[in-house]
Structures are given as C-alpha cells and as structure tokens.
Amino acid sequence: MKLETTILKNLIFNESYTRKILPFIKIEYFSTNIEKIVFGEIGQHISKYKHLPTYESLVINFTESKSLTEEQVQDSINLIREINADKDEPTDIDWLISQTEKFCQDRALYNAIMKSVKILDDKNQKEDKGMIPKLLSDALGVSFDRSVGHDYMDDADARFDFYHRHEEKIPFDLDLFNKITKGGLPKKTLNIALAGTGVGKSLFMCHVAGSCLSQGLNVLYITMEMAEERIAERVDANLLNIDIADLNSISKQDYDRKFSALKVNTHGKLIIKEYPTAAASALHFRALLNELQLKKSFKPDIIFIDYLNICASARIKPGSNVNSYSYIKAIAEELRGLAVEFDVPIVSATQTTRSGFTSSDPGLEDTSESFGLPATADFMFALISTEELQQLNQLMIKQLKNRYNDPTYYKRFVIGIDRAKMKLYDVEQSAQDDLVDTGQVDDKPLNTFGDRESRFGGNKFGGFKI
C-alpha cells in the first residue's frame, strides 16, 4: 500500500492521528486526482460534522455527488473500498506521523520548485520572480508543530529544565550592560536605545556591531540614515583603533596592515545595507535576509536597524490617514515579528521628544511620536549626555524597560565614550559611586525611611524628576 493510501486510511479510522496531522497536510500534497478528491471529501466531512467519516458515509457522498464524473465517482469508491479492506491492519502511529511530516515536506518542496520553474518560464511576467525565494523558504519551513500548550501539572519536569537551561544570548563587551541583561541580548527580541540628536545612537549601535563581529558573530547592519560607507567608517575607527578623522589620511600600507591583523582575529561577517529613508519595511528586510541566505549563505546572529522611526510599515501604506502612535507601533510590532521569525535579537533606536532632548532624566514618556514603541520593545534604555558628562568623556545610561532583569538594578550607570574612535568602554567603579538608583549595596547606614544613604547624602530611591 502506498504511503498516501495509508495516510488516507488513518484519516478515516484513526482519530488520534487525524487530529495531529490534519492541520498541516494540504490537498496539493497528494499526487493523483483521485487521492485529492478523497482527501477533500474527508476534510469537508470533518469540518462539517466534527468527527471522522465512516466508510458508508463516504460511499454515499461520492454516489450522490453532482460535481464528479461517473469515472471519478467509481475510482473514488474503489479507493475507499481498498482502504476499508485494509482497515484492521495495525500501523505504528509514531512512525506514520514522522513519515507523514517527511511526505509533506518533500511534496511542499517539489510543488515550490515546479511553481518556481513556471514563474521563470512565464513570458507574460504575471508573477514576480522575487516570489521564488519566499516560495522555497516557506516550503523548507514546513513542519508539524504538535504542541497544544503547556500543561501546568504534567509538564512540571520540563518547566524545571527550562528554569535551569542556559539561554543563548549575544553578550556585550560592556560589563554593566551584561549585568542588567543577565548576560546579553536574547534571541527573538526588540531592543531600543532612546536618545536625542547627536547623543550617540548610531555610535552605540556601531560599537556593539563591531563588538559582535569581534566575537566571531555574523552581523547585519541596516541603515536608512547614513551611507553604507559611513557606517563602515565608524566600525573601522572602532575596530582598527584609529581616530575617525585620520582615516582619510592613513596610508594604504598602514590600513592594510591593521586590517590584516583584524581579519586574523575576526571570523564573523558584517553586512551593511543601505535603504532610502522611510522607504523600507519589514518586507524588504525579510527579502534581504532570504537573499543573503541564498546568495552568500549568510545568516545573521544579530540585526541592527538605524533607526526604527525612519522605517516604513509593511501593513500601513505611506500617506494613509493614520496617527503616528499607530504607525510607529505597527513598525515596532513588525520588526519584533521579524526578530521572532529569524530567531535573532534586533537592536534599533528612537528619538526623544523636544522636552526629552533637554532633560537630564528622560523617561518612557519622552519617546517621540509613539508610546506604542516602548509598549512593544523588550529592552529600552536612554543614552544621556550633559556638558559635565562630555567633559568627563562619559555617557549615562538609564534603564527604561527591561524584560530580562529587574530594571531598578543599576537603573542608572555611566560608561566611557571615545567619540574620535567611535568606541565605548567600561569606567572605573568609582565613577558609579555618586549615582542614584545604581542598585549597588554600600555600607552607609539606613535613614529614617529605611533607605540606605547614598554617598552624597540622598537616599537610594531618587525616582522623582526635578
């Protein structure tokens, strides 16, 4: 008996098997017209009556069918009779589910290839050739997701294992960022830096991109604000340890020597892709990721998008009569969906409002255009620069939202910044001592409110803006 016939037999006589595979199997996976007719009738019966059909009901339905020819009716009944005669033969259901999944994967890939060939041969160009990568990607992604939810009582052991499983993360090269994120950025997340113009959003992302590259990771940097070469220039200054102003005067021999030394110690790849401002959406980024996979066998470990507010939405057309809250929230949701789909963390940035630009203590309410962005992000922090911090070559970080850790743990801290070399670095612990809400525990006595005194006499709460 063919595998297709065995599948049809168990769709009729095995309810457990049917419930597991029916949501995933499609009529176009069957090779003969009669198998498609029988499968279609089984699916219609289950959809209408909420239970498996019987041999008799199928025979009657085929006999009374007005849409089938006499030959099709007879061939369908003959197939049903063949299946019914073999119904008592035992089948290993676990084996059959595995074989059915492989059958669906093979047929989906075959169908995708045939449709791709048809698109290539279409002289009228009715369908775009750009569809081909998505057709093949969808076909290769066919699988049976058999999970129907987490059973609190029965899955206690699995839950315990989850608590103690080491989650794969992308670590920073900045100690306090690793502390507040418990080791780095998890996959399938959207992470946002909030800052005013010129504070260092792109500098931060270029530094972290260079750090990931140094760790041997594959990095995709999408820019809609600066040219590809300008982003590469910043990464060069960071990784080659050269002032950005000196890059246009360095000799080719010195540049090659430094870059050769970098290549020896760096095994990852950095792809920088530029799009026009406000012209690219998650659809363009998805197509780019598929194209990189096909053409360069490149799969990023982390994606940087510079920056979120100047992306386009894939769902809302430009010029639509929609407010900025809904538009920016839609972009954030689409990018987070992209992170989940491709199993990577996405890092992006957003601007502050006018009042937030002049504030030394910005909050989530200072996010420009849409409060829907912080509602969607997994991790959000502000980059703060003041004249005093600039003199000290420091940048203050304030946590605004953190799904990875307690956001009050090192709520504020400072890091060093070398703008000439586009580089960030850890500062000495003493630089953190006078900050409020650092989460540090010191030996100062408790005050009358039960809070531990800071080194300059205030308490650790410090949560009110001045």
Side-chain angles (χ1 to χ4, degrees):
M1 182 179 286
K2 289 171 56 181
L3 177 60
E4 291 94 325
T5 308
T6 304
I7 291 172
L8 292 172
K9 180 185 79 170
N10 283 273
L11 284 172
I12 299 172
F13 298 113
N14 192 318
E15 184 172 356
S16 174
Y17 170 81
T18 302
R19 293 191 182 281
K20 288 178 180 177
I21 71 101
L22 192 60
F24 307 104
I25 196 166
K26 297 180 180 180
I27 194 168
E28 58 263 29
Y29 293 165
F30 291 92
S31 54
T32 70
N33 191 41
I34 298 304
E35 289 168 350
K36 292 178 180 179
I37 291 172
V38 173
F39 174 78
E41 184 61 38
I42 293 171
Q44 288 179 14
H45 186 99
I46 293 173
S47 177
K48 184 175 181 179
Y49 298 106
K50 312 303 180 190
H51 59 74
L52 302 186
T54 62
Y55 165 75
E56 291 78 9
S57 66
L58 289 173
V59 171
I60 292 172
N61 287 344
F62 285 128
T63 303
E64 297 179 351
S65 175
K66 305 295 184 185
S67 60
L68 301 176
T69 64
E70 290 186 10
E71 183 180 1
Q72 288 174 328
V73 168
Q74 191 57 50
D75 288 344
S76 299
I77 292 175
N78 289 339
L79 179 57
I80 293 298
R81 284 174 179 164
E82 177 187 349
I83 290 170
N84 188 59
D86 192 54
K87 69 178 181 179
D88 294 328
E89 287 292 322
T91 304
D92 184 338
I93 296 302
D94 290 336
W95 170 86
L96 183 58
I97 290 174
S98 176
Q99 290 298 307
T100 305
E101 183 174 21
K102 186 176 182 302
F103 163 76
C104 292
Q105 292 168 341
D106 291 345
R107 294 302 302 178
L109 184 58
Y110 174 81
N111 291 342
I113 292 172
M114 296 305 294
K115 188 168 183 179
S116 299
V117 171
K118 185 177 179 182
I119 292 173
L120 291 172
D121 290 341
D122 183 11
K123 296 180 180 179
N124 296 323
Q125 298 292 314
K126 293 179 181 178
E127 294 183 281
D128 185 8
K129 293 178 182 178
M131 292 176 57
I132 293 176
K134 188 175 187 307
L135 286 172
L136 296 174
S137 176
D138 291 345
L140 292 169
V142 170
S143 66
F144 287 7
D145 182 2
R146 301 167 196 161
S147 172
V148 292
H150 180 85
D151 190 310
Y152 181 78
M153 293 298 183
D154 293 344
D155 294 338
D157 289 342
R159 190 163 62 251
F160 179 85
D161 292 340
F162 170 78
Y163 295 152
H164 294 81
R165 186 183 307 145
H166 177 70
E167 185 178 13
E168 187 176 350
K169 294 185 175 184
I170 306 293
F172 293 90
D173 64 345
L174 300 166
D175 182 58
L176 287 177
F177 268 99
N178 283 328
K179 284 185 177 180
I180 65 174
T181 57
K182 290 186 175 179
L185 298 178
K187 295 181 177 181
K188 304 180 181 181
T189 57
L190 178 63
N191 308 275
I192 302 294
L194 170 71
T197 301
V199 172
K201 299 186 298 296
S202 296
L203 186 154
F204 176 86
M205 286 193 283
C206 286
H207 172 86
V208 179
S211 166
C212 293
L213 183 63
S214 298
Q215 297 173 46
L217 302 174
N218 288 336
V219 181
L220 174 61
Y221 197 110
I222 297 172
T223 174
M224 282 161 284
E225 188 174 39
M226 290 186 288
E228 296 170 356
E229 294 79 8
R230 290 300 179 191
I231 298 298
E233 179 184 39
R234 291 175 172 226
V235 178
D236 266 346
N238 183 292
L239 294 180
L240 301 181
N241 200 32
I242 305 173
D243 284 5
I244 194 167
D246 295 337
L247 282 171
N248 60 359
S249 59
I250 189 174
S251 67
K252 183 67 164 65
Q253 182 179 2
D254 288 342
Y255 181 82
D256 288 343
R257 177 175 52 81
K258 284 178 173 289
F259 201 80
S260 296
L262 175 66
K263 288 177 70 174
V264 170
N265 299 316
T266 304
H267 304 292
K269 282 187 177 182
L270 169 61
I271 302 293
I272 305 169
K273 174 64 177 176
E274 178 187 1
Y275 287 99
T277 301
S281 69
L283 290 177
H284 297 84
F285 306 152
R286 182 179 292 107
L288 172 64
L289 287 161
N290 290 329
E291 195 172 1
L292 287 170
Q293 176 68 38
L294 288 170
K295 292 182 178 179
K296 289 197 167 190
S297 299
F298 176 86
K299 183 180 185 303
D301 297 298
I302 186 169
I303 299 173
F304 295 85
I305 299 177
D306 192 3
Y307 60 97
L308 186 143
N309 292 62
I310 53 177
C311 293
S313 171
R315 294 177 289 174
I316 301 175
K317 293 182 179 179
S320 300
N321 186 21
V322 63
N323 57 57
S324 63
Y325 173 90
S326 301
Y327 193 75
I328 299 300
K329 189 173 191 298
I331 295 172
E333 290 170 345
E334 291 157 12
L335 292 185
R336 193 176 188 283
L338 193 72
V340 173
E341 180 181 349
F342 286 91
D343 194 30
V344 294
I346 289 180
V347 180
S348 190
T350 188
Q351 296 273 16
T352 60
T353 58
R354 185 180 302 176
S355 61
F357 179 75
T358 58
S359 173
S360 61
D361 188 24
L364 288 175
E365 70 278 6
D366 293 310
T367 306
S368 68
E369 297 188 276
S370 175
F371 198 76
L373 172 53
T376 306
D378 296 283
F379 177 49
M380 192 164 176
F381 57 93
L383 303 173
I384 305 167
S385 180
T386 64
E387 289 185 4
E388 182 182 0
L389 287 167
Q390 288 173 7
Q391 292 173 2
L392 296 170
N393 293 321
Q394 292 178 354
L395 201 61
M396 182 180 289
I397 310 298
K398 179 186 176 185
Q399 292 189 68
L400 303 177
K401 179 181 180 181
N402 192 340
R403 287 177 174 164
Y404 318 138
N405 203 352
D406 180 358
T408 62
Y409 176 63
Y410 280 99
K411 187 175 182 65
R412 294 175 182 82
F413 57 91
V414 293
I415 56 177
I417 180 169
D418 184 347
R419 292 187 182 274
K421 295 180 179 177
M422 295 289 143
K423 187 172 292 191
L424 303 172
Y425 55 90
D426 291 319
V427 296
E428 295 181 358
Q429 180 61 36
S430 59
Q432 317 289 348
D433 287 344
D434 288 341
L435 296 180
V436 179
D437 288 336
T438 60
Q440 303 169 84
V441 177
D442 56 32
D443 55 359
K444 293 291 182 181
L446 298 177
N447 62 20
T448 54
F449 296 100
D451 296 321
R452 201 170 296 278
E453 299 287 345
S454 74
R455 296 190 185 276
F456 54 90
N459 64 52
K460 283 287 183 179
F461 174 61
F464 296 112
K465 286 188 179 181
I466 298 175

